[in-house]
Amino acid sequence: MKFLKPIALIIFVFLITVSCSKNETTTVEPPVNKGEQEEPAEPVSVIYFTLTVDASTNTKETEDWIIIHNDTGEILDFKSYEAGDVLTFESLETEVTNKITVSHLRRTLNLTEDGYFVQTYTDIDNGSNWKFTKGTAINVTPSIGTFDINITNIPSRSTKIPHAVSSLEHIPYQFVHAGSFINSSYVNFRINNIDLRTETDIIVSIMDDNFDMKYRFVNDVKVGDAYNFDYSEFMAFDSSLIIDLPATTKTLVYDVFTINENTLRKGYHLNSYGYWSYGIPNKIKLGYLNKFNNYLSDIILSFDKTQYRNISIGPKPESIIIREDLFFTPENSSIFEFTFTTNLDTIIRKNNSWYTSTGKQNVDLAYLRWIITSPGHDYPVIGEIPDELKKMYPAMNINDLKYDYSTIQIKSIPYQEWITKWYVDYDSSFTKIEREEYVFLE
């Protein structure tokens, strides 16, 4: 009976194995049907930029090109245009980045000059639709005749008297003017043949040599009128904005206009000063009248290697501070690898400019000006001009470009809104926007 023990063990193991196999689930992999595998998607073609050129655009004396790069500097395409053209730029979706760079190359050729200008705009949205348009011209009311004004006893040591004559139409008044000394301290000043148009209420502003601008209204002016006023009849403005100037100021121009808040059209010309008049004071005083709510105040000056401009639109500015401590210093001045240091906290938009020229003016001058417009502190990747255009225009001399200057806007509308107002949905009031900028010269 000893032989039964091994047999019993074998039967026991068999039963255990069968029992376990009944509790297991066997997964059967379905056969692979190679014919049902998904095909790779076909590349999609997209229109990444469109330009409509207004038929009134003057291209008869220029050669114009649009060059598009992606944001890594790779050339996507370039095309020439004429007035009335519609350019469409199309490529595979995989080749276009979300942002593109748009450059306008223009050649101007005449008997003594071969000029090239490249304007590059970076950070442009893929799919943008631009328009090149002239805008609407302002119809000038024709003159119906002239009138004269004579002002006596102006405190002045110069016969070049800063002055302004205007109406609410703000059509630049055409006239002749001249001053004559009464003695070493006083001047008589004549403003003759002043054009008269629809508006017959006129304001006359005049400055003495203390840099005080005074005014008076002349109402219901008629053709042929001749007015004689003593300087004592002119009044001080209701309020003033005093601005300290840098000690090293070399040039100075400023103007103040009333302005229509809806159309932004200029009105009365309240203040006018040019640096050629009395020299440079240590501070300026801009005059305003309480009867008006909105103004355009425009100040331009230069000091050291810096230029400054401030355009303020709206109520009288509370203050304007011109800083002398700001700097913008190139470290690598190459247009393709430009780097800089600055202490400007805010940069809304910057124009970095390069220039090169050969030959003599009015003889055989050839030149290239290339401006890169971009937002913020970062300098963008700039791609090369296509080889085909370099060969076509060898006089561009791109390799000889030298850094020239940078215009930095620290107050303005945002960059993308600026692009839209200028190129997408043109706004005729666009040129009258508040801005504050410094120009740093090399």
Side-chain angles (χ1 to χ4, degrees):
M1 297 298 292
K2 291 181 180 180
F3 69 96
L4 291 177
K5 291 182 179 179
I7 291 174
L9 180 60
I10 291 171
I11 293 172
F12 175 76
V13 172
F14 173 76
L15 292 174
I16 291 296
T17 303
V18 171
S19 175
C20 291
S21 64
K22 288 182 179 180
N23 294 328
E24 293 178 357
T25 302
T26 302
T27 303
V28 179
E29 296 290 337
V32 177
N33 186 349
K34 294 183 179 181
E36 296 179 358
Q37 285 184 326
E38 292 186 4
E39 294 290 335
E42 290 290 332
V44 177
S45 181
V46 295
I47 296 174
Y48 58 87
F49 186 74
T50 303
L51 172 66
T52 302
V53 183
D54 192 275
S56 63
T57 303
N58 183 9
T59 57
K60 294 179 180 179
E61 300 175 355
T62 61
E63 297 172 18
D64 295 271
W65 296 82
I66 297 297
I67 307 166
I68 312 290
H69 295 81
N70 62 23
D71 63 9
T72 61
E74 180 182 354
I75 295 175
L76 293 174
D77 201 357
F78 62 98
K79 298 180 181 182
S80 64
Y81 73 79
E82 298 289 345
D85 282 352
V86 176
L87 302 186
T88 300
F89 292 82
E90 189 171 357
S91 181
L92 296 179
E93 187 176 27
T94 55
E95 297 177 357
V96 186
T97 49
N98 290 331
K99 296 288 185 178
I100 58 175
T101 295
V102 179
S103 297
H104 176 195
L105 166 61
R106 166 166 287 180
R107 183 199 192 192
T108 303
L109 181 64
N110 57 42
L111 294 176
T112 63
E113 187 174 285
D114 191 6
Y116 300 86
F117 183 81
V118 182
Q119 172 63 67
T120 295
Y121 300 98
T122 70
D123 205 48
I124 304 303
D125 289 335
N126 179 347
S128 291
N129 192 329
W130 282 18
K131 304 178 186 70
F132 283 177
T133 181
K134 286 180 62 177
T136 303
I138 297 174
N139 293 322
V140 177
T141 306
S143 172
I144 60 174
T146 64
F147 65 100
D148 301 331
I149 294 176
N150 183 51
I151 306 168
T152 59
N153 297 312
I154 304 170
S156 178
R157 291 160 293 176
S158 171
T159 58
K160 298 178 181 180
I161 307 293
H163 63 282
V165 181
S166 64
S167 72
L168 273 176
E169 290 177 295
H170 185 65
I171 298 168
Y173 273 68
Q174 303 297 320
F175 49 76
V176 294
H177 55 83
S180 59
F181 282 110
I182 302 173
N183 53 44
S184 60
S185 301
Y186 292 89
V187 168
N188 290 339
F189 194 69
R190 301 187 312 277
I191 312 173
N192 296 334
N193 299 323
I194 306 169
D195 280 335
L196 183 65
R197 295 186 172 87
T198 304
E199 293 285 344
T200 58
D201 291 341
I202 307 299
I203 189 170
V204 182
S205 301
I206 200 96
M207 179 182 282
D208 63 28
D209 62 358
N210 289 320
F211 298 96
D212 283 330
M213 183 73 78
K214 295 184 178 181
Y215 78 97
R216 71 160 296 147
F217 280 100
V218 186
N219 297 319
D220 195 24
V221 177
K222 295 180 175 59
V223 172
D225 281 354
Y227 297 91
N228 291 285
F229 301 117
D230 189 86
Y231 183 71
S232 62
E233 299 177 61
F234 283 71
M235 298 174 288
F237 284 91
D238 296 332
S239 62
S240 299
L241 172 65
I242 297 176
I243 304 170
D244 292 323
L245 300 182
T248 56
T249 298
K250 298 176 181 177
T251 62
L252 171 66
V253 177
Y254 65 83
D255 296 277
V256 176
F257 302 89
T258 64
I259 196 165
N260 184 302
E261 62 182 324
N262 296 318
T263 64
L264 296 186
R265 287 285 302 276
K266 294 176 183 177
Y268 289 117
H269 194 175
L270 303 184
N271 299 178
S272 178
Y273 183 77
Y275 65 88
W276 53 84
S277 299
Y278 286 154
I280 306 298
N282 58 10
K283 59 183 62 182
I284 56 176
K285 184 164 63 174
L286 277 56
Y288 300 85
L289 295 175
N290 293 341
K291 65 186 298 182
F292 302 106
N293 297 319
N294 293 283
Y295 307 89
L296 187 152
S297 308
D298 190 356
I299 305 164
I300 306 171
L301 58 88
S302 65
F303 58 95
D304 295 333
K305 295 176 68 175
T306 305
Q307 296 175 354
Y308 173 84
R309 186 170 192 180
N310 189 311
I311 298 178
S312 177
I313 297 176
K316 168 190 166 185
E318 294 183 2
S319 66
I320 293 177
I321 299 174
I322 303 169
R323 293 181 57 181
E324 299 179 69
D325 63 326
L326 298 178
F327 65 84
F328 185 96
T329 306
E331 293 183 332
N332 185 332
S333 61
S334 166
I335 193 170
F336 301 109
E337 299 176 349
F338 187 64
T339 58
F340 59 88
T341 57
T342 184
N343 62 346
L344 288 157
D345 294 328
T346 301
I347 297 179
I348 293 177
R349 185 171 79 252
K350 58 184 181 294
N351 294 329
N352 303 114
S353 180
W354 285 258
Y355 182 78
T356 185
S357 66
T358 58
K360 295 181 180 180
Q361 193 168 6
N362 299 323
V363 180
D364 60 349
L365 179 66
Y367 65 89
L368 168 63
R369 168 76 65 186
W370 191 344
I371 297 177
I372 310 294
T373 300
S374 60
H377 284 73
D378 294 333
Y379 185 75
V381 177
I382 299 300
E384 293 274 1
I385 298 295
D387 290 338
E388 294 89 337
L389 296 182
K390 291 181 183 177
K391 293 176 181 177
M392 186 181 301
Y393 303 128
M396 282 197 295
N397 294 321
I398 293 173
N399 292 335
D400 295 332
L401 281 171
K402 304 294 183 184
Y403 172 74
D404 196 14
Y405 67 85
S406 289
T407 301
I408 311 299
Q409 293 200 346
I410 62 174
K411 182 176 75 174
S412 183
I413 61 176
Y415 180 78
Q416 296 298 340
E417 183 181 347
W418 180 82
I419 290 290
T420 298
K421 284 180 176 292
W422 190 241
Y423 290 119
V424 180
D425 296 317
Y426 180 73
D427 184 347
S428 60
S429 66
F430 162 75
T431 54
K432 302 182 186 71
I433 58 171
E434 284 198 319
R435 69 180 189 268
E436 184 177 13
E437 65 189 24
Y438 289 83
V439 180
F440 299 93
L441 306 175
E442 175 61 5

